Amino acid sequence: MTRNLKTILFMLAGVLVLVAALIALSCDGCGGEEPLIGIPGDTTSDSTVSAGDHGGVHIHENETGELLVDCDELETLRLISEQGDYLIRRGSDGRLTIDSLSGLLLEEDFLDVVWSNSLSFGYTYTLHSDEGINLADYGLDPAALTIECKYTDGTTCRLFVGDHISNSPNIYYFRFEGRDEVFINEFDISYFQGDYFWLSDDIFGDDVEDVTIGTIKLSGSAFPKPLTLEPNKAADKSDPYYGSKYIITSPFRGAIDDYLVTLLTDELTELVADDAVCVNPTDEQLAQYGLDKPFAVINHQRNGEWKTLRVSRTEQSEFYAKADGVDCVFLLSIDTFPQITSLTSEYLRTPEVHVRYFDAMHSIHVQSGDTDITFRLDRVPMETDNSLFEYFAYCGDTKLTLSNYKALLEVFNRATAVSYGGSRESDTPAMTVTITFFDGLERQREVISYYPAGTRRYLVEVDGSGDAVVGQMWVDKFLQSVQALSRNETVTP
């Protein structure tokens, strides 16, 4: 049962009780009529009668407000019905638990309702009969619900709840062990619920506002090679992934789409399911829900603690998920978690292969076949402010137009992956770009190599790591731009 539906049920119950109370108040003093209560088999007033004597059944109103039980605190509360057998107790941490649902996250608000309501039991009416009451007529033989209470002062009680009175919201017949009367009173709907009502829809049970997602490890059928994503700790612009929130650190180092990874971490932060569908699943049930061979396994840090979520393939608009250590299968909506259900080894990747910063690079050396050209960028502190610089570009001793140099860098930064996961067809690169950085930055040098990886395709490795593949068209464009800049000709990005 979804959290929203549970809440709606509580609200509806409250509204119905309020309406009943208002009706009773509106009739006060109107001909002296008593509230009507349904009595099985009675035909004197269309199956409803007022307090008094009716067909051999004596109905007495509780005018004194007598309580059957009134205690300060419970030790245990047990609810037995066709829904299950639930022994509720308060743990050492102050939280309410259910023995049969041990280890599962529970909706404490709903448990609090039955716990607090069971501290005292009263009644509005009692039923007596000189000939004896047939308990089966009131759903009390057998009872639909048994409530067993053990209080901290040593008091115990046992109640048997029977049929619901159809013309009164949440009003039931019940019997109190040790007394002959049949009582009538209200019982909250929480008393009559089963497993899925008690289970929390919050998969990991943490406060959404305080969750911070750290490293993410992705595996499963969607990831032939598991990926590790880590928060980027780049110190300055010499880092190839400077400015990125996350980077891929295994099985290679690579860039990732900031927007998509932000959406993914937001979804991991707010892991609230639509419903709980299976408690303590067997191997057969895990296979039924597609979790024996999950589509994605998301092992991630939540506030520094490692948690694992296993996700099935999507079925129409829904999918199933299970958290390690939580013996429950949950149902979730694709509309709520579009990133989690779209995960593949390529989905989160940014198409940009390498982006470098103008004011970080001191030199660019390009080697490819007969091409062996170096461009240098010098910087001179400005007299008015030594933290600001004026830049001058050169090829050998030839001073270059700075806008042309920036245009070459733009061509370089526009390298776009046509695919991922390529492999070398040769250990000799078709092109190498060596970059040096200005003094004072963390890195001094990097080498970007482009290896043949198929027809008109090149595998890009930055300092020996990477799996992005670029096409011949970009390589040709870049080399043409290098030749043009070396002659100080106009470079068009």
Side-chain angles (χ1 to χ4, degrees):
M1 180 180 295
T2 67
R3 177 176 298 176
N4 287 339
L5 183 55
K6 295 174 185 174
T7 303
I8 290 170
L9 287 174
F10 277 117
M11 293 175 65
L12 285 175
V15 169
L16 290 172
V17 171
L18 178 59
V19 169
L22 290 173
I23 293 173
L25 288 172
S26 67
C27 291
D28 188 25
C30 299
E33 295 183 3
E34 296 287 347
L36 300 181
I37 300 295
I39 301 296
D42 184 272
T43 59
T44 59
S45 100
D46 196 21
S47 296
T48 61
V49 296
S50 60
D53 296 336
H54 303 274
V57 177
H58 312 293
I59 304 175
H60 302 292
E61 185 177 0
N62 182 6
E63 297 178 346
T64 64
E66 175 193 1
L67 292 174
L68 299 172
V69 172
D70 186 17
C71 289
D72 292 333
E73 183 58 289
L74 276 160
E75 185 174 316
T76 60
L77 169 64
R78 187 180 183 188
L79 307 178
I80 306 170
S81 70
E82 63 179 10
Q83 299 290 347
D85 187 340
Y86 303 102
L87 183 61
I88 305 170
R89 66 180 82 233
R90 194 177 295 280
S92 57
D93 59 358
R95 293 188 173 188
L96 293 173
T97 63
I98 298 177
D99 283 12
S100 60
L101 300 178
S102 176
L104 298 173
L105 296 169
L106 306 178
E107 288 285 8
E108 293 185 44
D109 290 344
F110 303 144
L111 283 172
D112 281 335
V113 170
V114 294
W115 188 266
S116 59
N117 284 3
S118 300
L119 293 176
S120 63
F121 289 103
Y123 62 95
T124 52
Y125 295 92
T126 57
L127 276 61
H128 302 267
S129 175
D130 297 335
E131 300 176 357
I133 291 179
N134 183 3
L135 296 178
D137 288 343
Y138 302 92
L140 291 167
D141 187 17
L145 169 69
T146 300
I147 304 174
E148 297 179 355
C149 301
K150 182 178 181 181
Y151 300 95
T152 54
D153 63 1
T155 303
T156 61
C157 76
R158 200 170 187 219
L159 285 78
F160 305 95
V161 183
D163 289 342
H164 168 252
I165 298 175
S166 60
N167 64 326
S168 303
N170 296 335
I171 305 298
Y172 293 82
Y173 298 108
F174 74 98
R175 186 166 64 88
F176 192 82
E177 189 173 61
R179 297 186 62 157
D180 296 330
E181 307 98 322
V182 170
F183 298 95
I184 296 173
N185 207 31
E186 176 186 358
F187 285 87
D188 191 272
I189 59 172
S190 300
Y191 281 101
F192 304 91
Q193 305 304 319
D195 289 353
Y196 304 124
F197 181 86
W198 302 116
L199 292 176
S200 171
D201 299 325
D202 190 340
I203 295 177
F204 288 109
D206 39 28
D207 189 342
V208 169
E209 295 181 357
D210 295 331
V211 174
T212 299
I213 304 298
T215 299
I216 303 170
K217 296 182 178 181
L218 301 172
S219 58
S221 62
F223 297 90
K225 293 182 179 180
L227 289 182
T228 299
L229 317 179
E230 293 187 28
N232 189 17
K233 300 178 181 178
D236 57 46
K237 291 183 178 180
S238 67
D239 191 286
Y241 309 110
Y242 178 78
S244 299
K245 293 182 179 179
Y246 274 79
I247 59 170
I248 299 171
T249 58
S250 177
F252 50 82
R253 289 180 63 83
I256 196 166
D257 189 300
D258 271 350
Y259 176 70
L260 293 179
V261 79
T262 297
L263 294 179
L264 174 62
T265 55
D266 286 347
E267 289 182 12
L268 291 175
T269 297
E270 303 175 4
L271 278 172
V272 179
D274 290 347
D275 209 349
V277 296
C278 182
V279 177
N280 299 319
T282 63
D283 290 343
E284 291 77 11
Q285 288 172 322
L286 289 175
Q288 174 188 343
Y289 293 114
L291 293 169
D292 56 333
K293 298 177 181 178
F295 167 73
V297 178
I298 308 171
N299 190 17
H300 61 290
Q301 289 178 313
R302 303 176 71 84
N303 294 339
E305 183 177 355
W306 283 101
K307 299 287 187 178
T308 301
L309 182 72
R310 300 176 186 274
V311 178
S312 74
R313 290 189 179 276
T314 57
E315 297 182 5
Q316 297 179 348
S317 61
E318 301 170 329
F319 68 100
Y320 298 99
K322 182 185 179 301
D324 285 9
V326 181
D327 289 328
C328 182
V329 175
F330 294 93
L331 179 68
L332 299 92
S333 167
I334 294 174
D335 290 341
T336 307
F337 299 96
Q339 303 308 311
I340 287 177
T341 53
S342 299
L343 289 173
T344 66
S345 58
E346 296 185 5
Y347 177 71
L348 294 171
R349 303 291 298 274
T350 176
E352 299 170 335
V353 176
H354 39 55
V355 175
R356 300 299 179 264
Y357 292 88
F358 164 81
D359 56 352
M361 303 191 316
H362 179 46
S363 70
I364 304 174
H365 181 202
V366 182
Q367 292 176 295
S368 178
D370 295 334
T371 300
D372 190 343
I373 298 172
T374 300
F375 302 107
R376 185 182 79 254
L377 186 67
D378 290 346
R379 63 181 186 180
V380 179
M382 299 184 70
E383 295 181 0
T384 55
D385 188 343
N386 288 336
S387 64
L388 301 177
F389 299 92
E390 188 174 5
Y391 294 90
F392 303 92
Y394 297 89
C395 180
D397 294 330
T398 303
K399 186 176 181 180
L400 305 175
T401 303
L402 194 60
S403 59
N404 282 336
Y405 176 85
K406 289 182 177 180
L408 174 68
L409 180 58
E410 188 173 346
V411 173
F412 178 78
N413 287 342
R414 285 187 178 181
T416 302
V418 296
S419 65
Y420 296 96
S423 59
R424 298 181 187 179
E425 289 189 352
S426 169
D427 288 334
T428 302
M431 181 173 72
T432 301
V433 177
T434 303
I435 299 173
T436 63
F437 299 96
F438 286 116
D439 292 341
L441 297 179
E442 185 174 282
R443 302 174 78 236
Q444 295 181 340
R445 180 177 179 270
E446 73 175 354
V447 179
I448 305 175
S449 303
Y450 304 79
Y451 294 93
T455 303
R456 300 177 61 82
R457 295 289 186 266
Y458 299 90
L459 173 67
V460 183
E461 293 187 6
V462 179
D463 289 336
S465 179
D467 75 334
V469 175
V470 295
Q472 184 72 52
M473 185 178 297
W474 175 83
V475 172
D476 290 344
K477 172 66 175 178
F478 179 65
L479 288 175
Q480 291 168 8
S481 300
V482 167
Q483 292 291 345
L485 182 59
S486 70
R487 298 187 295 267
N488 201 20
E489 296 174 356
T490 300
V491 175
T492 304

